[in-house]
Amino acid sequence: MNSLIPLLVAAPLAGAALLLLGGRALDRFGHWIATALAALSFAFGLALFADMLGRDAEHRAVVERLYTWIPVDGFQADISFQLDQLSIVFVLLITGVGSLIHLYSVGYMAHDERRRRFFGYLNLFLAAMLILVLADNYLLLYVGWEGVGLASYLLIGFWQHKPSAATAAKKAFIVNRVGDMGLSVAIMLMFAEFGSFAFGPVFGAAGDASQGKLTAIALMLLLAACGKSAQVPLQSWLGDAMEGPTPVSALIHAATMVTAGVYLITRSAAIFNLAPDAQTAVVVVGAVTLVFGAIVGCAKDDIKKALAGSTMSQIGYMIMAAGLGPIGYAFAIMHLVTHGFFKAGLFLGAGSVMHGMNDEVNMRHYGGLRKYMPVTFWTFLLGTGALIGFPLLSGFWSKDKIIDAAFAKGGAEGWILGLCALTGAVITAFYMTRVVLLTFFGEKRWQPDGDGNLPHPHESPKTMTIPMIVLAFGSVFAGGLFTLGSSFLNFLEPVTGHQEGHPPFNSYVVSVIATVCMLAGVGLAYVMYGRGPVPVKAPVGSLLTRAARRDLLQDDFNHAVLVRPGSALAATLVWFDSKGLDGFVNGLAAAIGGLSGRLRRIQTGYVRTYALSMFGGTLVLVASTLLMRSV
Amino acid sequence: MSYLLSATCAVPAAGAVLTAALPAGTGEARRRTTKAVALAVSAATLGLAIAVAAAFEPDGPRYQLTESYSWIRSFGISFSLGADGIGTVLALLTAVLVPLVMLAGWHDADPAAPEGSFESKRRTQGFFALILAVEAMVLVSFLATDVFVFYVFFEAMLIPMYFLIGGFGDRAGGPDSARQRSYAAVKFLLYNLLGGLVMLAAVIGLYVVAGDQGQATFSLPALTDAISSGKLVIDPTVQRALFLGFFFAFAVKAPLWPLHTWLPNAMGESTAGTAVLITAVVDKVGTFAMLRFCLGLFPDASKTFAPAILVLSLIGIVYGALVAIGQKDIKRLVAYASISHFGFIIMGIFAMTSQGQSGATLYMVNHGISTAAWMLVAGFLISRRGSRLIADYGGVQKVAPVLAGTFLIGGLATLSLPGLAPFVSEFLVLVGTFTRYPVIGIIATFGIVLAALYALMLYQRTMTGPVKESVTGMPDLKARELAVVAPLVALTLLLGVYPQSLTRIVNPAVNDTLSQVHRIDPAPAHPVAATNGGEQK
Amino acid sequence: MNPVNYLYLAALLFTIGASGVLIRRNAIVLFMCVELMLNASNLALVTFSRLHGNLDGQILAFFTMVVAAAEVVVGLAIIVSIFRTRHSASVDDSNLMKL
């Protein structure tokens, strides 16, 4: 059975190779191959899951070692996969949602001439993401980590002819690289400290290491997580990443890849648990991002960017939960999974709307679409309900647990975190209601596209609606199912550990408060956008709104602090290289040239001058010989 | 005594003479004969190099397949060859790259001047003969076990390189490209001659010092044995001076910051194939020689100077990458990227850990392959448009997707994407440096962010965006060009996921080098019980 | 007669030849002056041979004569060909190699 584990990765990898190298012959049916291989991988995942459930909790983790990847004295990296409870959750999420989004893309990308390549990239992403969650050591994890970065780069920039897409792709890769630097430093620290970077040995020996070293390792891992999961301060790439085709935003930039940071922290629980200072940093990053992302989500008129802000904010919740330690790990993962369902569903819904509206993304140009796209509307509504934590839907269960855990942290810290989480809940409800109202309700504000054609909204084809319906089911039921008898918690506990939190008040009270908060947000949005007509052109807005539209000035900050000085430095060095270093060399050459030009004048070209100097020389020689002898 | 090594070196040398002697002519048929002969010779050399690698036993003695022919007996000089793990893989790299370089430059030496003019008569013969001559000399350098023989060929390869750089440009320069080219060629020659001259003094000095203690020989194994067994003790001051003499020559060739300024000119003005020869083959002799000669002959001085050299290489890593970001010329950008990579190689060597040195050796191979892929595709691109300026391109991906795809893979390899070969070596170098010099290791990781910047900016500016008018109708890669790129891409992938094939050969030689300098790896602070992570739970 | 007088003669001849080389421009004359110097040294050599009573000097004189003969052949050929192409035997006119 364990030999299925490599096949999980191999299936999409083979698909990627086939589609990217196969040539035009595969143009007509290549997308079905890719979809089938993704589904096959999902089937393998289900089989492995069934197999795992057949064993008792202690024997569920298995390791499948393929071969030694890099053997150098004292340094051994293996191509080796580890499938445990945490990995299988991710495997099922990745391949399950992945397969659905492959199916959706068949419809969404039907008219793109480079569809074959798109599916090749999607398969490549699946393979890399599976390597990331299945690796049994940090170096192999790093391969998956950068592999998903590559897939993300290729897919964000899929429409490369648009300069904005190409720029966004590059930005995403480079910001992620900054995070990856953290991961590589963390691996180096582990190697210097433990002589290994495989999960088992490192976690086993973590207790021996000094507090300072552990904190350093944990902070570097946090840096990596910030990059991949778009957390403050490395969050700036996610909004721009929406330049990619919408299925990509759903799969990579909502459901799976961006949650890799949460996986990394949860997986490294053994290190973080021993480094409380680093945990505090994690919590702070999560709390700041959850508010930050939510504020940005409120101001965006671009439906995908609003959702991207929401993704950032929701991952902030997860990161915060993971930073809380054993009371939060399992809930972080649970929210991650439910978020995977509803956020992917929301993005697919957004894609469906764009599909019907000539690729318009500005919500101020939507309005009244619920009659034209009923399936999209209902699935989107259910997803929204799940996201804002409408009672009994998925998000309600998972988010409440996180708010619970935040309060359970205790002391002033607990209150601050809990209030942050509640504030986030209010804002989340506000911006999601705003999105629904602007898109599906109100009067039509449709604008003609570049060619002057008014959009003719229509429901999307079956290949697109089916995945949306399936994901809507997940959005509705997954949370309740997981909470029922704490099944999810018990399943994960052997890996992540669990510790019951003790919030200052009963968890039912938290649920009620959270629900009230949610309703407040919904009501506020209704008051602002539901009652009157919505202007087609965005009003100027307050200072905060304007800042939020510019992503709270994050790009301006990066530009001023990093990009501008950086390019100035590069320009200075180019100048220094050609004028300074090379100038010195050329100057030296010119000096020698000049000197020899002077010396050349001695050579007059007249034979008699040479003869005279010869005679003179001989005379001196003879005279000095005689002189020497006489002395 | 087997004749495998001498055959490996002699075949390209004889091929060079043969190619040069082929009947001159300007017709297409004559030229094709010349090219076919040269390509066949380089393929035969590749076969011999593979045979050497196959015959090499990783667990055997350090130098294998040794041969020795008396040359200048009164000075103890003999023409002796021997393959060790490091030399073998580099010889293999050379033999792999040369046929591809020839294939890539198939039309680079077709006469630009009108048919029948004096200039064009022997151009094709000359170009291919020079490439083979370089190959022969580089192979001897990698396989020589005699210091003097190494020196002679280390210097002699400058001559064919000089003519390759100065005589054959990429026809994409500005109006004064001929002047630029001769400037680049002369600069290359002067820089390297200066380095060689200093080294000659050190070689003679070494002989004198060794002769004073009854070890009058140029044989490298004999000298290193005498040094490590204490029979030959070089006074510390003298040792430092000799070390610097050797190191200076290698640092110019490698090139190490701040001795690098000849490289961008030489790579920018020459053909893409020649640029690959420079950066992927000839420069490797410099880093290779640091590992073999500097560390083997002057262990104490190497340790003394290691921190200073590490700082220089660190500057090179960051500086090269930053200057690459600011370049406007595609080929110069690749050249500065190479300078950054050479920083990594030298850093790995002088970190003096087994990870660092194995990584550095792998790095030489991987950098050779990946830069060859990147540079040759860049060359194909440049030959289509006739310009080296980045700003002259845009949207190529739309009209020539395969070209753009391979260019991206080359760029991704350059930025050390995991799964591709350079990642393995770069990470080994970083880890190996970090365990001994943590601060330097951490600063060097900034190089990976900067590498992403220059590689992706180049791709973005040339390949993406709306199709520029100047590139419309640009043809995609032809079969010949695909045949050049495909093996390189395949090797990049293969060595990325299965580097064992090389590490197996390289590791013993690296350990031997480390024992010569009496260095052991720093032990981890809290070692885990078992080093084999895979078996753990 | 005292053999030393021959040495004075040789010195005189050598000086004449040397000043000729330094002063004259005509290649033929220069050439004759060089010959004069060579023969002056021959004379000195033979004289020394006589003075010391061995044959070393005479042998050396023979060598000089042979070399001088060879030199005359090559030198005259060069002068003739230069005269043909440039219609001048002045050494100052042949300055093509001078930058």
Side-chain angles (χ1 to χ4, degrees):
Chain A
M1 201 69 197
N2 293 350
S3 53
L4 271 186
I5 301 173
L7 289 179
L8 270 177
V9 180
L13 200 59
L18 190 67
L19 262 63
L20 293 177
L21 299 176
R24 302 230 165 75
L26 293 168
D27 272 354
R28 278 193 309 123
F29 54 91
H31 47 283
W32 287 114
I33 297 179
T35 312
L37 283 168
L40 183 68
S41 197
F42 182 53
F44 288 152
L46 282 179
L48 285 163
F49 181 54
D51 182 53
M52 178 183 281
L53 288 181
R55 279 168 290 168
D56 53 357
E58 279 81 56
H59 299 99
R60 280 181 175 169
V62 288
V63 170
E64 175 76 2
R65 188 170 170 279
L66 289 187
Y67 64 93
T68 304
W69 177 28
I70 314 174
V72 174
D73 275 30
F75 180 100
Q76 184 166 357
D78 293 334
I79 301 285
S80 174
F81 296 123
Q82 170 186 320
L83 187 74
D84 62 4
Q85 290 90 327
L86 183 58
S87 311
I88 194 81
V89 168
F90 273 87
V91 166
L92 291 176
L93 177 73
I94 294 159
T95 53
V97 176
S99 304
L100 288 174
I101 287 172
H102 271 74
L103 184 64
Y104 178 91
S105 308
V106 170
Y108 192 83
M109 301 297 284
H111 305 297
D112 198 296
E113 54 178 350
R114 291 163 71 235
R115 177 170 62 173
R116 172 176 57 89
R117 203 177 288 202
F118 179 80
F119 277 87
Y121 293 158
L122 272 191
N123 266 0
L124 180 68
F125 168 75
L126 282 191
M129 191 71 202
L130 287 168
I131 290 176
L132 197 167
V133 298
L134 285 172
D136 94 323
N137 61 67
Y138 280 100
L139 200 64
L140 187 58
L141 182 146
Y142 191 50
V143 173
W145 192 263
E146 288 235 319
V148 293
L150 169 68
S152 158
Y153 169 77
L154 293 170
L155 286 165
I156 295 172
F158 185 71
W159 288 315
Q160 291 182 332
H161 52 91
K162 285 200 296 186
S164 57
T167 310
K170 184 193 68 183
K171 181 174 171 188
F173 195 93
I174 285 162
V175 174
N176 268 297
R177 263 269 154 143
V178 176
D180 298 350
M181 210 178 90
L183 186 52
S184 58
V185 172
I187 298 175
M188 294 193 282
L189 276 164
M190 284 179 211
F191 181 74
E193 194 67 11
F194 307 116
S196 171
F197 37 76
F199 292 155
V202 169
F203 300 155
D208 304 338
S210 70
Q211 187 73 39
K213 283 276 164 58
L214 284 172
T215 308
I217 294 175
L219 285 177
M220 286 296 119
L221 291 174
L222 174 63
L223 179 64
C226 283
K228 197 59 73 191
S229 293
Q231 299 294 296
V232 175
L234 298 179
Q235 80 291 25
S236 65
W237 63 273
L238 187 64
D240 294 347
M242 297 300 128
E243 287 287 343
T246 309
V248 172
S249 313
L251 177 60
I252 300 185
H253 305 119
T256 55
M257 183 190 86
V258 284
T259 58
V262 183
Y263 171 79
L264 184 69
I265 293 176
T266 313
R267 175 58 83 193
S268 314
I271 295 171
F272 279 92
N273 289 345
L274 294 170
D277 292 346
Q279 281 187 311
T280 310
V282 175
V283 169
V284 169
V285 164
V288 168
T289 312
L290 87 85
V291 177
F292 185 104
I295 294 175
V296 170
C298 292
K300 293 287 184 185
D301 287 332
D302 178 327
I303 185 167
K304 286 178 73 180
K305 291 201 169 166
L307 290 177
S310 160
T311 304
M312 214 185 271
S313 158
Q314 295 301 309
I315 296 171
Y317 274 106
M318 299 172 210
I319 294 274
M320 188 180 84
L324 293 172
I327 50 173
Y329 290 130
F331 299 133
I333 301 298
M334 186 163 129
H335 192 55
L336 190 156
V337 175
T338 55
H339 175 257
F341 285 124
F342 56 68
K343 187 54 67 61
L346 287 172
F347 265 110
L348 295 190
S352 177
V353 170
M354 286 161 60
H355 200 66
M357 295 291 288
N358 296 350
D359 287 329
E360 175 67 73
V361 290
N362 190 342
M363 291 188 286
R364 290 184 186 276
H365 298 172
Y366 291 163
L369 289 174
R370 74 178 180 283
K371 280 191 241 95
Y372 299 88
M373 317 177 117
V375 182
T376 306
F377 168 63
W378 282 107
T379 52
F380 199 91
L381 196 66
L382 288 174
T384 304
L387 172 55
I388 64 179
F390 194 82
L392 305 184
L393 298 184
S394 283
F396 170 75
W397 302 104
S398 51
K399 199 191 282 178
D400 267 14
K401 293 285 184 199
I402 292 178
I403 299 173
D404 246 13
F407 278 115
K409 176 85 177 163
E413 217 180 318
W415 276 99
I416 295 171
L417 294 177
L419 289 177
C420 267
L422 284 175
T423 316
V426 178
I427 309 178
T428 307
F430 172 79
Y431 66 71
M432 280 317 295
T433 312
R434 172 175 175 266
V435 168
V436 171
L437 288 175
L438 287 183
T439 306
F440 293 103
F441 292 87
E443 77 283 25
K444 300 172 191 170
R445 299 178 301 275
W446 308 346
Q447 303 290 316
D449 66 4
D451 303 330
N453 304 323
L454 268 181
H456 300 285
H458 52 83
E459 191 51 89
S460 299
K462 282 254 166 22
T463 46
M464 289 168 69
T465 50
I466 290 172
M468 283 153 60
I469 294 168
V470 175
L471 288 171
F473 267 96
S475 317
V476 175
F477 298 113
L481 219 59
F482 290 162
T483 320
L484 210 64
S486 301
S487 56
F488 195 79
L489 188 62
N490 294 337
F491 180 69
L492 273 186
E493 200 192 331
V495 181
T496 58
H498 184 65
Q499 183 188 330
E500 206 52 55
H502 299 287
F505 27 77
N506 193 312
S507 64
Y508 295 109
V509 179
V510 174
S511 297
V512 171
I513 297 175
T515 308
V516 170
C517 285
M518 182 269 288
L519 289 174
V522 172
L524 187 64
Y526 179 74
V527 169
M528 283 179 70
Y529 297 97
R531 293 192 307 184
V534 176
V536 174
K537 262 187 83 72
V540 178
S542 67
L543 206 60
L544 179 66
T545 315
R546 272 180 289 164
R549 279 191 195 130
R550 292 180 69 91
D551 299 323
L552 292 179
L553 307 179
Q554 59 194 22
D555 279 337
D556 306 73
F557 177 81
N558 289 349
H559 202 77
V561 176
L562 297 170
V563 177
R564 201 128 13 109
S567 40
L569 179 64
T572 316
L573 284 182
V574 170
W575 179 85
F576 172 74
D577 201 63
S578 65
K579 295 289 181 299
L581 276 182
D582 220 21
F584 172 75
V585 173
N586 285 337
L588 202 65
I592 292 175
L595 189 68
S596 56
R598 296 266 160 77
L599 285 175
R600 200 180 61 206
R601 304 249 167 93
I602 297 174
Q603 309 284 321
T604 55
Y606 296 117
V607 176
R608 55 184 167 277
T609 332
Y610 301 149
L612 185 61
S613 62
M614 263 169 71
F615 283 128
T618 318
L619 220 62
V620 171
L621 216 66
V622 170
S624 59
T625 320
L626 290 177
L627 220 68
M628 290 294 280
R629 197 176 290 170
S630 67
V631 172
Chain B
M1 199 161 78
S2 100
Y3 295 101
L4 199 49
L5 293 186
S6 47
T8 311
C9 303
V11 165
V17 175
L18 175 69
T19 312
L22 282 175
T26 52
E28 178 61 32
R30 284 270 169 83
R31 279 206 300 272
R32 209 174 298 150
T33 320
T34 307
K35 294 171 185 176
V37 168
L39 190 63
V41 170
S42 67
T45 313
L46 174 59
L48 285 165
I50 291 173
V52 169
F56 185 82
E57 290 168 19
D59 303 324
R62 167 103 190 232
Y63 294 103
Q64 300 180 18
L65 305 166
T66 50
E67 298 175 38
S68 190
Y69 309 95
S70 185
W71 187 12
I72 310 177
R73 200 166 298 170
S74 50
F75 290 115
I77 297 170
S78 59
F79 192 90
S80 41
L81 301 173
D84 74 343
I86 302 167
T88 305
V89 294
L90 290 173
L92 198 58
L93 169 75
T94 309
V96 167
L97 286 180
V98 166
L100 297 176
V101 163
M102 283 184 179
L103 213 51
W106 204 243
H107 297 299
D108 282 352
D110 289 355
E115 293 275 325
S117 72
F118 178 76
E119 187 225 341
S120 69
K121 258 190 182 165
R122 298 207 71 90
R123 253 182 97 78
T124 313
Q125 281 92 338
F127 184 69
F128 286 91
L130 286 170
I131 293 178
L132 284 173
V134 171
E135 180 177 25
M137 289 168 180
V138 169
L139 285 174
V140 174
S141 308
F142 284 141
L143 298 172
T145 53
D146 187 283
V147 180
F148 189 79
V149 172
F150 171 82
Y151 169 75
V152 168
F153 283 86
F154 179 82
E155 283 290 88
M157 75 179 78
L158 298 181
I159 300 162
M161 281 316 301
Y162 170 77
F163 287 111
L164 275 176
I165 297 168
F168 304 88
D170 66 0
R171 295 173 199 164
D176 61 343
S177 68
R179 205 177 56 78
Q180 289 285 339
R181 200 156 60 233
S182 75
Y183 169 74
V186 169
K187 197 169 174 183
F188 163 82
L189 192 70
L190 286 182
Y191 254 101
N192 284 283
L193 271 182
L194 180 66
L197 211 63
V198 177
M199 182 184 165
L200 177 63
V203 168
I204 295 170
L206 176 68
Y207 179 75
V208 171
V209 170
D212 284 348
Q213 301 184 31
Q215 305 281 345
T217 176
F218 280 105
S219 160
L220 181 68
L223 285 171
T224 47
D225 283 351
I227 287 169
S228 55
S229 66
K231 266 188 274 180
L232 173 56
V233 182
I234 308 178
D235 172 75
T237 322
V238 176
Q239 193 180 136
R240 269 175 234 155
L242 293 179
F243 171 88
L244 286 181
F246 275 80
F247 184 78
F248 182 71
F250 305 148
V252 168
K253 183 103 48 175
L256 176 66
W257 188 89
L259 302 170
H260 64 272
T261 55
W262 62 270
L263 187 71
N265 289 92
M267 280 177 73
E269 299 302 328
S270 56
T271 70
T274 309
V276 169
L277 276 186
I278 295 170
T279 188
V281 176
V282 171
D283 286 353
K284 294 299 179 320
V285 181
T287 47
F288 160 81
M290 286 181 195
L291 195 50
R292 180 180 273 186
F293 294 97
C294 287
L295 264 53
L297 291 173
F298 315 109
D300 296 328
S302 301
K303 274 186 278 190
T304 313
F305 285 112
I309 294 170
L310 282 174
V311 169
L312 287 183
S313 58
L314 182 64
I315 295 175
I317 290 171
V318 177
Y319 180 94
L322 280 171
V323 177
I325 290 168
Q327 287 305 310
K328 296 186 178 72
D329 176 318
I330 298 176
K331 287 166 87 181
R332 287 178 69 92
L333 190 153
V334 178
Y336 279 104
S338 286
I339 290 166
S340 178
H341 289 306
F342 281 115
F344 274 108
I345 297 176
I346 297 170
M347 173 179 274
I349 293 172
F350 283 92
M352 298 197 194
T353 54
S354 49
Q355 297 94 34
Q357 293 194 343
S358 287
T361 311
L362 284 186
Y363 211 126
M364 293 183 215
V365 177
N366 294 339
H367 170 257
I369 295 168
S370 60
T371 304
W374 207 29
M375 188 67 178
L376 291 177
V377 178
F380 299 149
L381 180 70
I382 290 166
S383 69
R384 280 163 166 69
R385 167 73 177 76
S387 167
R388 294 201 297 261
L389 293 181
I390 297 171
D392 284 347
Y393 297 89
V396 173
Q397 175 271 331
K398 195 90 177 166
V399 286
V402 180
L403 190 152
T406 47
F407 193 60
L408 181 62
I409 294 174
L412 291 174
T414 300
L415 61 80
S416 295
L417 189 83
L420 302 179
F423 169 73
V424 175
S425 41
E426 190 162 301
F427 200 80
L428 280 174
V429 167
L430 285 174
V431 164
T433 309
F434 183 85
T435 51
R436 203 183 291 282
Y437 305 96
V439 177
I440 291 181
I442 287 177
I443 299 176
T445 48
F446 279 100
I448 69 172
V449 178
L450 297 174
L453 262 172
Y454 62 68
L456 294 183
M457 271 165 74
L458 177 61
Y459 180 81
Q460 185 195 353
R461 287 180 187 166
T462 53
M463 299 296 171
T464 69
V467 181
K468 275 214 174 150
E469 203 164 319
S470 52
V471 305
T472 44
M474 181 180 276
D476 211 336
L477 290 188
K478 293 193 276 279
R480 169 179 65 83
E481 294 165 332
L482 265 181
V484 172
V485 180
L488 293 172
V489 170
L491 275 175
T492 313
L493 276 169
L494 180 72
L495 293 177
V497 296
Y498 199 76
Q500 268 193 54
S501 38
L502 290 186
T503 51
R504 215 166 43 87
I505 302 180
V506 166
N507 284 344
V510 164
N511 291 339
D512 191 46
T513 309
L514 279 176
S515 70
Q516 282 168 358
V517 291
H518 309 293
R519 275 291 203 186
I520 48 168
D521 294 340
H526 304 283
V528 294
T531 47
N532 190 348
E535 311 301 335
Q536 301 268 325
K537 278 278 283 289
Chain C
M1 199 165 78
N2 189 353
V4 177
N5 289 336
Y6 291 100
L7 288 181
Y8 292 135
L9 177 61
L12 196 65
L13 285 175
F14 190 89
T15 314
I16 293 170
S19 29
V21 168
L22 290 180
I23 293 165
R24 301 300 299 263
R25 291 182 197 181
N26 190 303
I28 304 284
V29 178
L30 275 185
F31 210 65
M32 284 156 59
C33 290
V34 170
E35 287 298 312
L36 203 57
M37 284 158 72
L38 282 170
N39 284 317
S41 38
N42 274 350
L43 184 60
L45 283 169
V46 173
T47 313
F48 285 130
S49 178
R50 172 81 178 168
L51 280 176
H52 295 297
N54 64 16
L55 290 178
D56 290 358
Q58 294 196 26
I59 293 168
L60 210 56
F62 276 116
F63 268 110
T64 315
M65 282 157 76
V66 173
V67 171
E71 183 225 319
V72 167
V73 172
V74 177
L76 271 181
I78 292 172
I79 290 168
V80 167
S81 72
I82 287 179
F83 186 76
R84 274 204 193 136
T85 52
R86 307 181 67 84
H87 304 290
S88 155
S90 167
V91 287
D92 288 1
D93 289 348
S94 318
N95 58 358
L96 261 186
M97 297 290 276
K98 183 181 164 236
L99 214 71

